[in-house]
Amino acid sequence: MAKHYNRKFVKDIIGTLKKNGFDCVQHSNNKNKYDISKNGGYVVRAVHSGMSCFHELRRDLKEYYNFNINEH
């Protein structure tokens, strides 16, 4: 079974975060996961690149960075 990468999530969510100054570092051993941070602050760890994690990511971005991804 071949691995796949969720391109829609990467384009829409990760792309939006990068445009707004976030560092989105792809894991070296699992290309489906990202560590997200901004200006050396709190690191949202191991975010899976799929819409199933969107609500958790949205909550963490709001809590730690006061960033509402739905507005961007």
Side-chain angles (χ1 to χ4, degrees):
M1 180 179 233
K3 288 189 175 188
H4 70 279
Y5 306 110
N6 191 329
R7 292 187 180 132
K8 180 174 175 18
F9 179 87
V10 171
K11 180 181 163 216
D12 293 346
I13 306 302
I14 300 298
T16 300
L17 291 174
K18 286 182 178 181
K19 286 179 188 174
N20 285 283
F22 284 87
D23 298 319
C24 303
V25 180
Q26 196 173 40
H27 281 213
S28 59
N29 60 343
N30 186 343
K31 304 286 186 199
N32 282 335
K33 293 185 179 179
Y34 291 84
D35 287 340
I36 299 171
S37 66
K38 186 173 186 179
N39 298 329
Y42 177 80
V43 177
V44 179
R45 296 216 175 262
V47 174
H48 185 268
S49 65
M51 293 311 287
S52 63
C53 77
F54 178 71
H55 297 294
E56 180 181 340
L57 173 61
R58 184 181 66 184
R59 182 192 67 225
D60 287 347
L61 291 172
K62 181 71 174 165
E63 180 179 342
Y64 294 109
Y65 295 107
N66 197 26
F67 180 79
N68 187 346
I69 198 162
N70 291 331
E71 294 176 358
H72 296 277

